[in-house]
Amino acid sequence: MLVVLFDKKIGLCNNNDDIILCAVYIPPMYSVAYDDPRSNGIDRLEETLNNLIEKYRTTNLLINGDFNSRTGDHPDYIQCDTGKYLPVEGYESNITLNKRHSLDKQVNSFGRSLLNLCKTMSLYICNGRKDGDQAGDFTFLSSQGSSVVDYVIAHSSAFENINHLHVNLVDGSDHFPVTYQLTATINRQTNDSMICQERIRYKWREKYKNEFQDKIRKSASDQELCMSQIENRQLDLAIKTVIQNAGASMKCKKYNDNKDKPWWDIECQKTRKIVQNC
């Protein structure tokens, strides 16, 4: 499984949490990849996803790949779901969904497990629900027939941000690539104070590397602090900790974009961004 973590600042989730993008491949039933021929690859996937959620608690899942699971057009959510009669504070019922369509009407063992996984973890299959794939096109073609086994599956908080999905019919492959578009809400706050903000640049000086290494080794507390900051994704603080120990090995230069350019205002800043993006 390939895992990519997107920071909440990108705005891919409606609840402003981080998002984990997982690219998966589940070997088919009775594959030699399983020690036990009765093993269920979806159960292993669920265990892995639970470990990710345990490690990154304020994250939501976005999963895509080859699941070797046929789910037909069966519901991937608990029908008539409501917390009206449950004594659970803050219970979140299913989001409002349009019916999922699929050209593949068959359901296999892995497919039933995948549907249960979706119900358990508030995940929703995007195939057959999004613009560009309203019919739920086949994603796999072989001499034995066609099926839908490649999916894009999103947590409820990221589901609405997927606004287009398309199965691309290509020659020379039995699996068809599934592409989708994500809408991100990025909050860019730009003001005059930011334009005039002093900037600092650091330049590594190779001849002082031994001095830098000695300082890092002698300061065990700083090593532990830096590792803790990295594990907690406090990268700005970790960089400051490293720089404090850098000494002469890192040359510091401070500068201000607006120091010698009193005419440089917010309109100039916006214009430069437009030119750079052309």
Side-chain angles (χ1 to χ4, degrees):
M1 177 189 293
L2 173 65
V3 177
V4 181
L5 177 65
F6 291 98
D7 190 272
K8 60 185 178 183
K9 295 178 181 178
I10 299 179
L12 293 177
C13 275
N14 292 336
N15 60 0
N16 294 321
D17 282 343
D18 297 336
I19 190 167
I20 294 178
L21 172 63
C22 305
V24 306
Y25 169 71
I26 305 298
M29 290 185 291
Y30 311 115
S31 169
V32 295
Y34 301 118
D35 298 331
D36 185 344
R38 296 170 297 178
S39 295
N40 189 321
I42 302 300
D43 292 341
R44 294 188 178 185
L45 173 63
E46 183 174 7
E47 181 180 351
T48 302
L49 295 178
N50 281 325
N51 290 336
L52 285 173
I53 294 174
E54 180 67 23
K55 184 175 181 179
Y56 304 103
R57 292 183 178 274
T58 58
T59 56
N60 296 300
L61 297 172
L62 176 58
I63 315 166
N64 52 238
D66 179 3
F67 293 80
N68 273 302
S69 305
R70 302 178 71 176
T71 60
D73 56 3
H74 289 208
D76 52 358
Y77 58 92
I78 301 174
Q79 296 177 294
C80 303
D81 184 33
T82 175
K84 182 178 180 180
Y85 303 105
L86 293 176
V88 180
E89 183 178 352
Y91 176 79
E92 294 184 7
S93 58
N94 288 296
I95 61 175
T96 303
L97 293 170
N98 55 323
K99 177 176 172 56
R100 182 170 66 91
H101 299 280
S102 178
L103 296 181
D104 184 4
K105 304 302 180 183
Q106 300 298 316
V107 180
N108 62 8
S109 175
F110 278 19
R112 285 187 286 271
S113 296
L114 182 59
L115 292 171
N116 288 333
L117 170 64
C118 291
K119 295 173 184 177
T120 302
M121 305 185 71
S122 296
L123 300 172
Y124 302 97
I125 298 173
C126 299
N127 302 58
R129 283 196 175 110
K130 297 295 182 178
D131 289 342
D133 188 45
Q134 292 91 339
D137 290 333
F138 292 118
T139 66
F140 177 78
L141 175 65
S142 72
S143 59
Q144 298 180 347
S146 304
S147 60
V148 177
V149 293
D150 305 274
Y151 299 96
V152 176
I153 303 175
H155 185 271
S156 57
S157 299
F159 181 86
E160 297 300 334
N161 288 35
I162 299 176
N163 53 26
H164 186 85
L165 185 146
H166 182 66
V167 178
N168 301 274
L169 303 180
V170 296
D171 295 328
S173 175
D174 50 4
H175 285 270
F176 302 139
V178 179
T179 57
Y180 58 97
Q181 295 178 357
L182 280 166
T183 299
T185 304
I186 303 176
N187 183 19
R188 294 181 177 178
Q189 297 179 349
T190 306
N191 51 47
D192 292 336
S193 61
M194 292 176 64
I195 295 175
C196 300
Q197 184 177 3
E198 184 180 65
R199 301 185 184 183
I200 301 176
R201 282 185 177 176
Y202 296 94
K203 184 177 181 180
W204 175 254
R205 305 171 77 179
E206 185 68 18
K207 63 181 180 180
Y208 292 105
K209 68 176 182 180
N210 293 331
E211 177 186 337
F212 172 71
Q213 292 173 350
D214 290 339
K215 287 186 177 182
I216 288 291
R217 292 193 188 100
K218 292 177 181 178
S219 180
S221 60
D222 280 346
Q223 287 186 51
E224 295 177 359
L225 175 62
C226 186
M227 292 303 299
S228 174
Q229 290 167 339
I230 293 174
E231 290 175 358
N232 293 314
R233 292 183 288 168
Q234 299 173 321
L235 297 183
D236 291 342
L237 295 177
I239 292 172
K240 288 181 180 180
T241 302
V242 172
I243 290 173
Q244 288 172 358
N245 286 277
S249 61
M250 196 169 290
K251 186 178 180 181
C252 172
K253 180 181 179 181
K254 298 182 179 180
Y255 70 97
N256 191 318
D257 281 344
N258 201 33
K259 183 176 180 180
D260 300 319
K261 303 175 184 177
W263 47 267
W264 186 266
D265 57 14
I266 190 170
E267 292 301 323
C268 297
Q269 184 84 349
K270 290 180 178 179
T271 304
R272 181 171 68 175
K273 287 185 178 180
I274 293 173
V275 173
Q276 290 174 341
N277 292 331
C278 289

